[in-house]
Each structure stands twice: as C-alpha cells, then as structure tokens.
Amino acid sequence: MTMTDHKPPAGAQPLEPRIPDPSAKWQKRWNDMALFKAPEFPQGRKYFVMPMLPYPSGDIHMGHFRNYSMTDAIARKRMMEGYDVLHPLGWDAFGLPAEQAAISRNLHPEEWTLGNIAQSKATLQKVGISFDWSREVASCLPDYYKWTQWMFLQLYKHGLAYRKESEVNWCGTCNTVLANEQAAGGVCWRCGNAVGRKTLTQWFFKITEYAARLLDDIDHLDNWPDNVRTLQRNWIGRSTGAEVEFRLPDGTKIPVFTTRPDTIYGVTFMAIAPDAPLLASLAIPDARRAAVDAFVTRTRGKLAVERMADEEKEGVDTGIVVINPVSGEQVPLWVASYVLSGYGTGCLMGVPAHDQRDFEFARKYGLPIRQVIRSANEATSESGMTVATEDYGTMINSGPFNDQVGQAGVDAVIAHLEKNCIGRAQIQYRLRDWLVSRQRYWGAPIPMIHCDGCGIVPVPESDLPVLLPKGHIDFLPKGRSPLADIPEYINVKCPKCNRPAQRDPDTMDTFLCSSWYFLRYIDPKNDQAPFDKKKAAAWLPIDYYMGGVEHATGHLIYFRFFTKFLKDIGWLTVDEPARILFNHGMVMDSTGQVMSKSKGNVVSPIDMMRLHGVDPTRVAMFFSSPGDKEVLWSETGVVGAERFIHRVDQFVRSAKAAIGGKFDPDARFDTAKLSAAERDIYRKLHQTILKVDRDFEVMQLNTHLSAVMELSGALGSGENLRPELRAVCAATMVKLLAPLTPHMSEEWWEILGFGPTIFRAKWPSVDEAALPTDSVTIAVQFNGKVRGQLTVPADADEKAVVAAVQSDAKLAAHLAGKSVVKTIHVPGRLLNIVVK
Ligand code: ANZ
Ligand code: ZN
C-alpha cells in the first residue's frame, strides 16, 4: 500500500482547511511537566536509548531528523510501556572543521561551534524530539574535557598510553596525523586527499592489549548487525601461526611471522619491507647497496595500503643470505614492496608454491618454487603451476615432517621450533595501537608535561582541566601544534621538581571525546568524577544505540575498548557498552547522493514542517522506507501523510461525539456479544497491535504505519460500531500512532477526554481471545535473530512448523548450506532454528 492510496472517504471534508499544527502547544506542555527528564536512578525498568552524537558543523538536516525521529519513537514507546527512559543528546564539538571555519571566516572555533550547537538545538526542539536536554553535553567545554583528560591520565597510569617515535599517516592538506582508521584506503577521512607518511613522536593507546577481548566478545553482541560484527572481526584480524627465527650467517636473528609453519621447507627466499627498521641495520654488500637504496627511496614514500593495492609486486635482492633454522638451507633476502613494516615482524618467509603473493613475486624474479604440501586439488608440477596451492594437505619434501597432515603438521613444526628455541606459536593481530595525538588547536589538550629532569610527568588530577588557551591564536597549520607557539601555555613548572618544564603541545583525537560520552550523560553535572559508579551501574548498558555503519571500525571499537578498560579499573560493571546497535540508512537527495553539508545538498526539515506540520513530515519520513534502508528524499509523500492524519482526526472526533462522556480506552469486549461486523473490527484492531509491536521492534516503521492505515481503512466512518467499541478503536489507534505522530496523538488523546499526556498512558496490549484461533502468526528466528514470520495452523506442532519454514523460499534461504543443530518451538509464538 502506498500513501497515495489513502483517498479521503467519500463525503469527507476536503483537506482544506488544514488541521492546525499543535506541535508548539505540546512541546511547551512536555517541557513544563519535564516529561523527558530521566530520573537520576531508574526506579523500575530502565531504557537507555541514544543516537550517535552529532558533529555541529551547521544546522541539522533531514538525515539527523530521521535518525533522531527513530530514537524518539523508541523512547516514546518505551515510556508508554512503563520504562524509565534515558534519551540524551550531546555534541562532538572538537575537531578540524571548526578550525578550518575559523581560518576561512575569521571566527574563533569556539564561537563557530557554539553558534552551530545553539542553532541545531533550537531546530531539534522545534521538531519535538524527546531528548532530555538537562543532560546535554558538548565535548569542547571544560567541564566535559576535564574528564576526557582524566581518561587519558587513567590510561597513562595503567600503562596503556605511551609516546613513541613512529612513522605515521600524515595528511598534508589538513596538516595533521591521522589514526589508521582515519586513513583507510590511503585517503584522509576529512578532506579526501592522499595520505602521506612522516616520522613524528606521538601518543598512542595500547588498544592492541585488548585485541583478543575485543574480538572474542563480538560473539556475544547478538543484537548488533552482522555486517558490523564482520567488519570489526576483520579489522581486528586475528591470525594464528608461529614466529620463526631465521638467522644471518653471523648469528643475527631475522624473525618472521607465518600462518603456515608447515610450509617451512618450501621457503625459497625471504622478503623484508622497504621501511622495516631492521633493514637499516643490515650490512648490505657494496655491490648491491646502490640498487637497494634506490628501491627503498622509490617505494618508502608510498603508503602501505597503496603498495598493497599495487598489482605489480616489486623487489630487489639485497645480496644477503639467510639461514632457514629448520632445514638449514640458505636463501636470499629481498626487499619487497608487498611486505608491510607494520605487520608481524616486517619480514616474511617466501613460500611461492603455497602463497599467491610469493608465487607472483617468484615468477617475476625467477626465484625457485618448491612444493611441500600435497593437497586434494594440487597442481601437476611446479613448473606447470599457474597459481599457488594454498590449501592444507600432506607435508612432502619436508625431511622428518613428511606425511604429517594439515593442522598436525603445523603443530609438529611449532613443537620443533619451541624445543629448539628457534621460534614459538604466535597469535598476530591486524589491529594497531591507536594514535591519539593531533597537531591542531581545537581539541582537548593532552595533560602531560615534559621536564628535562623528570621526563614525562602527568598533570596532577587536581590540576585538571588543562584549559585550552583562548585569545589570539594562529590556527594556520604549520605541521606542529599551534599550542607550541603560545609561551604562556607551553611553559609551566614541573609538578614533580618544580623546575621550568613544557606542556605537551598536542591535542587529542576527537574520537577520544566520543569514546566515553555515553557515560557523561548518566551524570552530566558531576564535578567530582566523570560519572557516578552507582548511576552507571544502574543505567548501563545502553539498550539501543543508533548510528551510521561508517563507524564500524572506528568509534564502535574505541568505545568498546574504553568500556572494557573502565571495567578493568573498577569504574563500570559492564564489559560491553551497547546491547542493541542499529545502523540507520542514509538520507539521500532525489538524485541518490548522501545528504551532507559538504555536498551542499541538505534539506532542512524545518521548511517542510512549516508548510505541512511536524507530524505529517515525520510520517512521510517514516513511511518512505524501513529504518535500516536508505531514503531517497522527495516531498511528495507528505501530502499523503497529511491526508492520513486528516482521516484519523475525523475518526477520533466522530468517535468522541458518539460516546459523549468517559470511557475506558483499554476496555476488552466479549466477542460472543459483538455483531459480526464488530467482531471483525475488534479482531483487526488486535491483529494491528500485534503487527505494530513486531514491526516496531525491527524499526520497520513504514509497515507499522501501513498497518494502522489499513486499520483506519477498515474502520471507515465507524458508524456501524457501538460507541464503546468505536471509542476504544480511536483511542488504540491514537496510541499506536503516538511514537510516530506524538503531537497529533496528544491532541487526539485530549479530544478523547484524557490527559495530561498520552506518554503516561499504557501501550495497548493484545487481547489473545480476539485473535483468530484457527491460525497464528509466529516469529521465525535463526540463531536467535528474527528473520521473518509465518502463519501456521494454531495447533501446528514443531514438525509442521519446520516443514512450513522449509517450504517458504525466503526463510528456507537461511538454511541453505547449513546444518540444523536444534530447533526451539514456542507454540503460537516462535520457532528458533539453530544452524551451523
Ligand atoms: C609463509 C606462508 C606460506 C604464508 C603460506 C602464508 C601461506 P595473515 O593471514 O594476514 O595474518 N606475512 C607475514 N608478515 C607479513 C608482512 N609484514 N607483510 C605482508 N605479509 C606478511 O598473513 C600472514 C601471512 O602473511 C604470513 O604467513 C606471511 O606469509 C605473510 F603457504 O608465511 B606466510
Ligand atoms: Zn621535573
């Protein structure tokens, strides 16, 4: 059904005059009664729902409006279900764009940022989102960043923050370093220009120490989207294998990481990264020196990701030979473009017969290829090979290890390495430590002091916050922090020895600010601590977290890391910050481009609301597609939305007129005493409640709406119903719409004679007796996730239900290629199939 199907019924009044928009009236009432103010501690059941905090780069647009309307709908439904709801918003207010705006507009970044926040907040208040504004936070304000600095100090105290000279991703346009997550694909996440490299001393967080837990616990994130879980798994990237110590004839160790120790007899060369620190310390024979230097100079400047993407693998022979510690064989050491300095040891053992990259490299440079694994789909001969055979198989040409098969072969070689002290089993992660320092002004100052005598000295907690200096600052990027050039800021006394010392001139990556903000919402005014432990224990975890999938391998890993760390040091009771993660779809313009300030194609919800009202705009938005899908924004839907609201309005008014006085909005009816027509409507009413509940939980607000539209269509004028039933239908419909059309629903609720707010009224519950008894609709889950619904005979047993699943093409697809471990059947409710 589409919105335009909703023609007003014959004889109904035309759309003009419009229903006046009651939004201002209700927003004021909600405000006066502090309806959205969450209690300090939840009294009963709690629900913590939040969208990812926005970056205040301008006013809010349709994209924000859609996301916040969804968390708003959740918050409102949960209120009606009796939860204590916490639904906050804050601002990710530090960062580069503010600084760039400051340069181009000659404004202070703070002025620009606070101006944008004020404007966005005003807009959000006009669109009626149920945020608890008493908990608003902005990461650029000292009472917030004081605690970001405190977090830094805790990480430092626990050995998880360190400073190291390293080659870093450097954006020459933004003049700052970037975390790996911000340089994905070799381009700057901010400006889109190519990222270069630079050697600098920088601060890092040892997130790698949490790699195993961050990875393993993904298994428990049952209510996170599969794609986010996969992205995180790959990003953390665990490989199991061994470190093997190759040696130079003079005894110098050349360790390598390999996932395939069982191929050690197939090593025909070694390869080292052009930028591996080890390379610089090796004595390269004079005859090869010039060629190696030339190659290194040529490839070093290239970013690792670019080198990896290069089809052509290039290299040069160093003239050095390396001894295989297991076979005793000597092989040449090459410098090769496809070896990463930041992975493993920066050096690898080349096994061309069984590793495709090594194979291509060996073919290009005429290096020998030796098969040491015989697998089922094996090549005819080494010379006839066109690709490496990477499968596991039986070890051959491998001396004492011959005939060992698969993992047993791997284990045998590892045992040999360990026994002879030439290597050991090893787990390697792709995840790198998190580079957190930035050479820019608009960020939280790093609370560290450098003293010639004492070294690095943390700022005492009692001296926090380290305030960002104001006044005249030269923001123009120079490759060092602007703070370095402010003597009043930089020069301090060492907290330890009291002699002249210097502050660290860098500021923090803004992703640090956003790694803990959800905790500040819980206790935003606390000036003794970042938050109260008891309050955090009461409100956490976040029950519903909504945001874009683009944060899968950045923010969504960082905030999990912070949560685990804070739990380890006794501040939190949870291991994971968020129970449900929902990735909303993007709002695109009519040509399919994502709406964004930088593209200049943003549509403001305000103009449309002025013309059509707040709730019709919300309806049009929700109706356009399910919450996790994209929306191609166009204004056409809003007319149908207005028409629908108009129709509900008429039904409510006429139902009230028919009943006259008071009635029980939750009244149940004995179906035996209803007329046939009434029985049909009563059944439809309760089927609608059931459907709305199901659709809502998966953010299918479009079908939620169409279910209510269908009900409204079935009701018609309602004249054929007894007044009590007619009134209950009106009240129930108004409640079902309340999360989506909050202002109109309040108005209708008042017309029906109730108050002071519908959000304190009870969410409708299903009268099972009203539902048809001959068939039931059950939820079908695979591994605990709802994948669809099935209507089956009410008395169907487990076998019959499973058979029905198998004959449903869409559901059966989830079984393809899998084996069923077990099935759990709750008659009339659900079937859960556990597959492997
Ligand atoms: C020998 C070998 C034989 C390998 C074989 C694979 C197959 P993942 O799975 O991503 O962890 N390698 C090791 N260090 C490297 C580096 N710094 N840059 C690029 N490649 C490197 O990859 C591990 C494998 O990648 C290692 O196992 C090594 O090649 C290579 F039949 O060792 B293997
Ligand atoms: Zn000192």
Side-chain angles (χ1 to χ4, degrees):
M1 177 155 72
T2 67
M3 187 94 65
T4 42
D5 290 341
H6 265 272
K7 307 253 156 49
Q13 292 190 356
L15 215 49
E16 299 291 348
R18 284 216 158 84
I19 299 173
D21 184 351
S23 58
K25 163 182 162 187
W26 288 103
Q27 285 162 17
K28 179 165 186 313
R29 289 236 194 133
W30 295 333
N31 205 26
D32 290 347
M33 65 176 106
L35 183 62
F36 308 127
K37 196 166 176 344
E40 300 259 300
F41 287 90
Q43 310 298 309
R45 295 190 302 168
K46 63 98 185 174
Y47 209 86
F48 186 1
V49 49
M50 57 184 262
M52 287 182 189
L53 86 178
Y55 187 79
S57 57
D59 200 352
I60 71 147
H61 57 67
M62 272 299 174
H64 302 111
F65 172 61
R66 180 184 190 219
N67 305 336
Y68 307 152
S69 300
M70 284 197 271
T71 55
D72 179 67
I74 296 169
R76 290 177 188 274
K77 181 167 188 265
R78 296 291 178 259
M79 287 177 78
M80 296 174 76
E81 288 167 341
Y83 290 86
D84 277 333
V85 171
L86 173 55
H87 182 215
L89 191 78
W91 308 96
D92 193 9
F94 273 136
L96 269 181
E99 218 164 313
Q100 246 110 39
I103 295 165
S104 64
R105 282 167 238 210
N106 217 7
L107 283 173
H108 192 278
E110 180 170 59
E111 202 183 334
W112 184 81
T113 305
L114 296 182
N116 288 336
I117 289 177
Q119 191 187 355
S120 303
K121 183 175 172 183
T123 303
L124 282 170
Q125 285 175 329
K126 264 185 231 152
V127 304
I129 310 289
S130 57
F131 291 128
D132 176 356
W133 287 106
S134 72
R135 293 171 184 263
E136 178 185 11
V137 301
S139 63
C140 68
L141 298 178
D143 65 349
Y144 184 90
Y145 71 68
K146 169 179 179 172
W147 300 110
T148 310
Q149 293 173 334
W150 182 92
M151 297 285 167
F152 192 108
L153 291 180
Q154 306 315 306
L155 283 150
Y156 182 77
K157 261 203 227 157
H158 291 87
L160 292 168
Y162 65 94
R163 209 161 173 254
K164 184 181 88 178
E165 178 168 285
S166 73
E167 194 152 288
V168 296
N169 302 311
W170 178 262
C171 175
T173 317
C174 299
N175 254 298
T176 188
V177 301
L178 301 169
N180 285 346
E181 290 79 358
Q182 297 166 339
V187 293
C188 173
W189 69 302
R190 270 278 159 223
C191 69
N193 289 316
V195 173
R197 310 190 86 188
K198 195 167 172 169
T199 303
L200 281 173
T201 304
Q202 298 283 349
W203 283 100
F204 291 86
F205 286 166
K206 267 192 211 161
I207 192 171
T208 50
E209 214 156 272
Y210 282 74
R213 279 164 68 191
L214 287 168
L215 186 72
D216 292 339
D217 289 350
I218 293 173
D219 292 347
H220 308 306
L221 299 176
D222 298 333
N223 293 300
W224 281 39
D226 289 339
N227 63 334
V228 172
R229 304 204 304 169
T230 305
L231 284 165
Q232 290 208 351
R233 282 199 183 99
N234 295 340
W235 185 261
I236 298 168
R238 173 157 51 204
S239 297
T240 54
E243 185 163 296
V244 185
E245 280 169 5
F246 283 68
R247 272 167 212 268
L248 299 184
D250 71 5
T252 307
K253 290 178 186 169
I254 311 275
V256 300
F257 171 71
T258 177
T259 48
R260 294 295 301 274
D262 57 325
T263 64
I264 188 123
Y265 278 80
V267 176
T268 59
F269 67 94
M270 301 280 287
I272 187 166
D275 51 346
L278 177 66
L279 180 60
S281 67
L282 295 178
I284 298 187
D286 290 343
R288 304 295 312 149
R289 183 96 249 171
V292 170
D293 285 351
F295 180 76
V296 168
T297 318
R298 191 152 57 79
T299 47
R300 232 192 117 96
K302 278 199 182 178
L303 197 66
V305 283
E306 284 175 334
R307 295 208 315 261
M308 291 303 282
D310 277 350
E311 279 293 301
E312 251 338 88
K313 294 177 179 51
E314 287 186 280
V316 59
D317 187 352
T318 62
I320 295 172
V321 293
V322 188
I323 302 162
N324 182 327
V326 180
S327 69
E329 196 180 353
Q330 298 205 350
V331 293
L333 174 67
W334 284 64
V335 183
S337 62
Y338 70 100
V339 186
L340 301 171
S341 62
Y343 190 72
T345 64
C347 188
L348 60 77
M349 59 185 221
V351 185
H354 304 294
D355 181 293
Q356 185 59 22
R357 293 163 305 173
D358 297 345
F359 179 81
E360 288 165 23
F361 191 77
R363 269 286 148 87
K364 176 162 176 178
Y365 292 105
L367 293 161
I369 298 174
R370 185 188 314 139
Q371 259 185 280
V372 292
I373 300 288
R374 195 178 54 225
S375 68
N377 30 4
E378 124 199 39
T380 41
S381 70
E382 283 143 9
S383 57
M385 279 177 95
T386 52
V387 288
T389 51
E390 297 189 337
D391 299 348
Y392 285 88
T394 307
M395 291 175 74
I396 55 170
N397 302 326
S398 297
F401 298 97
N402 280 343
D403 300 328
Q404 297 267 19
V405 183
Q407 189 58 41
V410 172
D411 295 342
V413 174
I414 292 178
H416 173 86
L417 295 171
E418 290 181 344
K419 187 160 153 240
N420 294 282
C421 301
I422 47 174
R424 62 208 64 84
Q426 178 148 320
I427 293 172
Q428 185 66 47
Y429 292 93
R430 214 182 77 93
L431 185 73
R432 304 285 76 171
D433 276 345
W434 177 11
L435 198 173
V436 293
S437 45
R438 296 290 179 274
Q439 290 67 54
R440 297 299 300 243
Y441 166 77
W442 191 234
I446 290 181
M448 290 289 168
I449 290 168
H450 302 279
C451 168
D452 285 342
C454 312
I456 293 178
V457 182
V459 171
E461 281 180 25
S462 54
D463 289 356
L464 296 182
V466 175
L467 287 174
L468 196 56
K470 296 194 182 165
H472 188 78
I473 284 148
D474 180 7
F475 301 117
L476 277 177
K478 292 180 237 26
R480 63 170 184 276
S481 170
L483 296 178
D485 297 329
I486 306 173
E488 314 84 89
Y489 175 78
I490 282 296
N491 297 319
V492 285
K493 290 230 167 84
C494 168
K496 252 194 192 159
C497 70
N498 219 27
R499 277 195 293 255
Q502 263 94 50
R503 285 194 190 283
D504 194 291
D506 291 352
T507 54
M508 297 179 214
D509 180 4
T510 55
F511 278 99
L512 230 136
C513 312
S514 56
S515 290
W516 74 279
Y517 73 111
F518 60 105
L519 300 168
R520 191 67 180 167
Y521 287 148
I522 289 171
D523 200 12
K525 305 282 185 314
N526 195 330
D527 58 4
Q528 302 300 310
F531 57 88
D532 179 88
K533 290 179 189 177
K534 290 204 191 78
K535 289 183 190 168
W539 279 110
L540 289 180
I542 301 164
D543 293 284
Y544 205 111
Y545 194 26
M546 173 142 351
V549 70
E550 69 275 16
H551 294 292
T553 57
H555 164 67
L556 289 171
I557 289 184
Y558 298 146
F559 95 133
R560 293 184 57 219
F561 163 55
F562 261 65
T563 303
K564 291 181 187 303
F565 167 66
L566 289 169
K567 172 165 190 220
D568 288 352
I569 63 168
W571 278 82
L572 296 179
T573 52
V574 292
D575 261 319
E576 287 290 339
R579 200 163 59 76
I580 300 177
L581 174 74
F582 187 85
N583 288 144
H584 57 71
M586 293 293 178
V587 177
M588 327 288 259
D589 65 13
S590 48
T591 68
Q593 292 247 51
V594 175
M595 237 177 238
S596 83
K597 181 101 193 298
S598 54
K599 291 214 178 69
N601 61 350
V602 300
V603 175
S604 162
I606 288 290
D607 299 337
M608 177 167 247
M609 288 178 177
R610 229 174 254 138
L611 203 61
H612 301 276
V614 173
D615 288 349
T617 307
R618 283 173 70 115
V619 166
M621 187 90 239
F622 289 136
F623 198 74
S624 53
S625 72
D628 58 345
K629 296 286 171 339
E630 324 179 317
V631 171
L632 274 191
W633 184 246
S634 81
E635 308 224 337
T636 48
V638 77
V639 179
E642 261 188 299
R643 195 168 287 153
F644 167 61
I645 285 175
H646 201 270
R647 181 177 175 145
V648 175
D649 189 72
Q650 285 184 316
F651 188 86
V652 167
R653 287 171 197 276
S654 65
K656 177 65 187 178
I659 189 109
K662 285 202 165 79
F663 68 97
D664 173 7
D666 300 306
R668 297 284 201 234
F669 293 84
D670 181 349
T671 46
K673 294 185 184 142
L674 296 176
S675 72
E678 286 173 332
R679 198 160 35 243
D680 281 351
I681 284 296
Y682 189 60
R683 172 175 297 178
K684 180 87 190 163
L685 181 69
H686 285 276
Q687 281 174 323
T688 307
I689 298 172
L690 196 67
K691 171 134 178 64
V692 161
D693 272 332
R694 283 189 182 148
D695 290 350
F696 190 93
E697 294 314 312
V698 290
M699 280 288 103
Q700 297 244 6
L701 303 181
N702 55 334
T703 52
H704 171 153
L705 270 167
S706 42
V708 182
M709 287 174 182
E710 250 181 61
L711 172 66
S712 149
L715 285 168
S717 71
E719 271 156 17
N720 56 341
L721 305 175
R722 66 190 68 197
E724 295 78 17
L725 180 57
R726 191 172 173 182
V728 165
C729 285
T732 307
M733 190 156 62
V734 166
K735 282 186 186 175
L736 292 178
L737 286 172
L740 312 185
T741 59
H743 309 89
M744 287 310 307
S745 284
E746 285 281 34
E747 194 68 19
W748 292 324
W749 194 238
E750 193 176 65
I751 289 170
L752 290 172
F754 304 105
T757 168
I758 194 169
F759 298 104
R760 296 250 181 273
K762 240 175 61 219
W763 183 255
S765 62
V766 177
D767 181 355
E768 304 280 347
L771 297 178
T773 49
D774 40 344
S775 70
V776 284
T777 304
I778 64 161
V780 180
Q781 304 182 334
F782 290 89
N783 295 338
K785 278 203 168 177
V786 179
R787 299 296 190 182
Q789 299 178 3
L790 259 187
T791 302
V792 293
D795 56 357
D797 62 3
E798 180 165 326
K799 226 174 114 203
V801 178
V802 172
V805 169
Q806 280 159 344
S807 58
D808 180 295
K810 207 175 137 226
L811 291 171
H814 294 283
L815 292 169
K818 307 241 169 79
S819 59
V820 175
V821 181
K822 65 171 172 182
T823 53
I824 301 152
H825 181 220
V826 184
R829 296 221 160 256
L830 68 83
L831 178 73
N832 182 13
I833 305 182
V834 180
V835 292
K836 214 169 64 189

